[in-house]
Amino acid sequence: MTTRTIISPLQLGSRWGKRVYWLVLVTVLVTFTLAFVFPLYWMITGAMKTGEEIAQMPPTFFPANPSLDAFLEAWELFDIGTLLRNTGVYALGAWAFTMVIDVTAAFALSKLRPMFGGFILGAMLATLMIPPMVVLIPLYVTVVDLGLLNTPWAIWFPAAVNGFNIFLLKRFFDSIPRELLEAAEIDGAGAARVLWSVVLPVSRPILGVVSIFTVVNVFRDFVYPFLVLSDSDKMTVSVGLSQTAGQVTQNAIMGGLVIASIPTVIVFFLFQRHIMAGLTAGSIKG
């Protein structure tokens, strides 16, 4: 069976074909890299400029006199240490609840096959079609009725159940050979033992992906934490920076944003190899 392409393999293998191929490849890679990296570069260099240089037109791409004073100023003015500690606690709790609830739900739908499991999964996926802003008010009212305002539970409970995470986990669990689980069951292992001793050890890639999504979502979310965490000593880093942004200089704001982005960048670089492995592992069964 032959595959038709715009450029035939013979043309692509020629001298000019190879040159055009590498030219297009390098151009695309450089363009997309600049598109994604430039905002980060602009934020970091902006923190190293003076307020006058930031307002200068046309803007300068390199700081005339680079300085790290804005980072120290931002740390003190925004009290970023407290904000990062709060956000870290929220992210850790959200991750723990996600691991317990989403993993067990996905395992039940994949391996235990409960009655109406397909309908339940479909209902979970249907929630992904609802814009987050639509459920924001009902979620806020629920938190108020339960008396959870300005508590970590207001962040932990909504993060505990995520239809997309459950779908990813289920797809991965579907790819685990049934014979592996049956061997454990023959040895007398129950469902909980099979999940803990068999499924979880081989599911590290997808668990890493879900962990990244959960932690990053807590760090980047703004509107919902802004509603439920109004106390200044309970705010997340995104909310805390926005509350004080109008009272400080532009380079201090840039410095605060750079510091606030460091945890998520570290998480990404530590677990980046799990992203593609986890997302593609469940695409082929067997």
Side-chain angles (χ1 to χ4, degrees):
M1 179 178 179
T2 59
T3 302
R4 292 188 176 183
T5 58
I6 298 177
I7 302 176
S8 67
L10 180 61
Q11 293 174 319
L12 190 61
S14 63
R15 183 178 62 179
W16 284 103
K18 292 180 180 179
R19 291 180 179 177
V20 172
Y21 170 79
W22 283 108
L23 176 62
V24 173
L25 179 62
V26 171
T27 302
V28 171
L29 289 178
V30 170
T31 301
F32 278 91
T33 300
L34 291 177
F36 284 101
V37 174
F38 182 75
L40 182 62
Y41 166 80
W42 191 255
M43 181 174 62
I44 296 174
T45 56
M48 297 180 180
K49 299 177 182 178
T50 62
E52 294 77 10
E53 189 176 0
I54 292 178
Q56 180 179 334
M57 294 300 292
T60 58
F61 288 93
F62 304 98
N65 298 299
S67 173
L68 301 179
D69 293 341
F71 296 102
L72 301 177
E73 181 183 358
W75 184 271
E76 297 294 335
L77 293 176
F78 290 111
D79 194 13
I80 294 182
T82 300
L83 297 177
L84 289 176
R85 183 174 65 251
N86 293 342
T87 312
V89 171
Y90 300 146
L92 181 61
W95 172 82
F97 276 100
T98 297
M99 289 295 102
V100 173
I101 296 178
D102 290 6
V103 169
T104 53
F107 176 74
L109 292 172
S110 175
K111 299 304 181 183
L112 302 184
R113 306 292 178 86
M115 185 178 297
F116 305 115
F119 173 79
I120 295 173
L121 179 62
M124 290 181 180
L125 295 178
T127 61
L128 301 179
M129 308 301 172
I130 304 175
M133 290 301 175
V134 174
V135 299
L136 193 61
I137 294 179
L139 185 59
Y140 174 77
V141 173
T142 302
V143 170
V144 172
D145 291 341
L146 295 176
L148 301 179
L149 286 179
N150 294 304
T151 66
W153 301 101
I155 302 295
W156 293 345
F157 280 159
V161 181
N162 186 291
F164 182 67
N165 288 343
I166 293 176
F167 174 72
L168 287 180
L169 290 165
K170 180 185 180 301
R171 287 294 300 166
F172 189 95
F173 294 163
D174 288 342
S175 67
I176 299 176
R178 183 68 187 177
E179 293 78 9
L180 189 63
L181 278 65
E182 291 176 348
E185 293 172 354
I186 292 175
D187 290 338
R193 184 67 177 179
V194 170
L195 173 61
W196 181 261
S197 301
V198 179
V199 175
L200 292 184
V202 300
S203 303
R204 291 178 182 175
I206 194 62
L207 294 179
V209 171
V210 173
S211 299
I212 292 172
F213 287 167
T214 303
V215 171
V216 171
N217 186 61
V218 173
F219 269 86
R220 71 177 178 82
D221 199 8
F222 172 76
V223 178
Y224 177 70
F226 177 76
L227 293 177
V228 299
L229 301 172
S230 57
D231 288 354
S232 58
D233 58 342
K234 302 291 182 62
M235 292 180 177
T236 62
V237 65
S238 59
V239 177
L241 290 177
S242 69
Q243 294 298 295
T244 321
Q247 307 172 19
V248 299
T249 59
Q250 290 292 323
N251 56 343
I253 296 175
M254 293 287 189
L257 293 174
V258 172
I259 297 174
S261 64
I262 290 176
T264 54
V265 173
I266 293 176
V267 169
F268 171 77
F269 279 110
L270 288 178
F271 299 100
Q272 61 174 328
R273 65 187 183 89
H274 293 298
I275 295 179
M276 290 309 301
L279 292 177
T280 61
S283 60
I284 301 177
K285 295 193 64 175

